Amino acid sequence: MFRRRSRSTGAVVASVEDAKRDVLIALSQIIDPDFGTDIVSCGFIKDLEISETLEEVSFRVELTTPACPVKDMFEEKANEVVAALPWVKKVNVTMSAQPAQPVYAGDLPEGLKKISNIIAVSSCKGGVGKSTVAVNLAYTLAGMGARVGIFDADVFGPSLPNMVSPVNRLLVVNPESKSILPTEYLGVKLVSFGFAGQGRAIMRGPMVSGVINQLLTTTDWGELDYLVIDMPPGTGDIHLTLCQVAPLTAAVIVTTPQKLAFIDVAKGVRMFSKLKVPCVAVVENMCYFDADEKRYYPFGKGSGTQVVQQFGIPNLFDLPIRTTLSSSGDTGIPEVVSDPQGDVAKIFQNLGVCVVQQCAKIRQQVSTAVSYDRSIRAIRVKVPDSDEEFFLHPATVRRNDRSAQSVDEWTGEQKVQYGDVPEDIEPEEIRPMGNYAVSITWPDGFSQIAPYDQLDMLERLVDVPLPATAAVASS
């Protein structure tokens, strides 16, 4: 039998199990900066193998996204801490990313089922460079290693056909599946009404919403880490359709320094807030130019900063007045592609890192916001952006369902009576449903949609009868 002495524990490593425990202790020193916990607790370590001689260690670090900005640091640090174990002679680290999948429990259109994050780029005002930001952000994310698509949601004036130069400029329909096949440029999948051979459309609002819905949901996007939606100006039916059809992960707001831009942008931020879509960054376009070794702000400062301050959006990025940035929208080559080492590309690189990190945090918060603790037989609810949590009795949650299956929509009569729900009922599955609710599956087959706001209201207004163990745990 092989025996090796462990430096981390001081004990003799006498078995493969002891060695694996030693490796996991060493790897738990590496903290994920986004989640604030170690990579072992995050579940990133996969396929851990130890050779029979207890000398060689192999494992895989599975990240939440291939565009993780600290993946090189993780790989270097993982090699370092494991190689430091005295019994280890060789370390084999493989980096990978989780397969694309939405954080959503509801029924999604087939084309959206393999998309991890959907990012809305919105301005609510035309002419501020929103499409420029959307396209350059998409190609920045692709350059970071992610699988990316762009959906141009402007039917009246699609910009994507002018901003990129795919060889195939027409969308094709798969004759068997009847799904739309996106075109591609430099590895990024593209869908726009401008690629449908229709040019610009003249149609009424309901028709536009139908076209947008069809283009988005019947496209075979395949596996994507990020789908960037270039939103049309305004806050009307089209925006509501997009927010309802697609489980948006987050939004990026684009503005300019003028006060008028702030008024319109504020409407958009409030719209996303009502729809429970977090705005993670503000991009203030056409801010400044540099000349004579000085920086000039011809339109003043303020719109972007005002959005950040008034609405608590954490990140602000300033883009310069640059002829190359505006002309890239006419040449068909995004600025970050034509000049990947330039100042503008560096700004978009920082924006890309911000979007990746914020989406990871949002997904983590959503996936752990509500869970069932079987040890105390209670539904555990974590409050976002805090350490606060509370517990709910499963029977109380089930009895307070407000859907049409439990309450008559016309009379308000309670269909499911108090005694119809057993006191000891337990949920079979709890899954997040976008950013605003969870889907709870009960033993009788009933699927309950419980918004976070409703769960919070239950905690505040209902005298919740918890099992004794849960009451002790929550006190």
Side-chain angles (χ1 to χ4, degrees), residues 107-177:
D107 293 329
L108 283 174
E110 194 64 34
L112 302 181
K113 288 184 176 180
K114 296 180 181 179
I115 302 175
S116 291
N117 302 281
I118 302 180
I119 313 299
V121 178
S122 176
S123 66
C124 305
K125 181 176 178 60
V128 300
K130 169 183 50 60
S131 296
T132 299
V133 171
V135 170
N136 281 278
L137 171 60
Y139 279 91
T140 297
L141 293 171
M144 295 169 67
R147 295 163 294 185
V148 182
I150 305 175
F151 179 65
D152 182 357
D154 195 342
V155 171
F156 296 115
S159 302
L160 198 58
N162 295 325
M163 306 194 74
V164 292
S165 304
V167 175
N168 181 8
R169 299 186 65 83
L170 285 176
L171 299 175
V172 178
V173 176
N174 185 319
E176 296 181 2
S177 64

Side-chain angles (χ1 to χ4, degrees), residues 84 87 90 169-170 191 193 210 215 239-240 250 253 263 271 293 299 324 333 341 349 356 375 422 465:
W87 52 271
K90 186 178 181 181
R169 299 186 65 83
L170 285 176
V191 171
F193 191 71
L215 282 174
H239 304 78
L240 294 176
I253 305 299
I263 295 172
M271 176 191 71
E293 298 182 351
F299 305 115
T324 54
I333 305 176
Q341 302 301 321
Q349 183 72 23
V356 168
S375 64

Side-chain angles (χ1 to χ4, degrees), residues 188-210:
V188 174
K189 296 182 178 181
L190 313 166
V191 171
S192 169
F193 191 71
F195 291 138
Q198 303 295 322
R200 288 166 169 77
I202 300 176
M203 58 182 75
R204 294 184 180 275
M207 296 173 63
V208 176
S209 296

Side-chain angles (χ1 to χ4, degrees), residues 352-373:
V353 169
C354 166
V355 167
V356 168
Q357 291 177 332
Q358 293 297 322
C359 284
K361 289 180 181 179
I362 291 167
R363 288 176 65 89
Q364 179 73 2
Q365 287 177 352
V366 169
S367 63
T368 61
V370 182
S371 59
Y372 184 61
D373 191 330

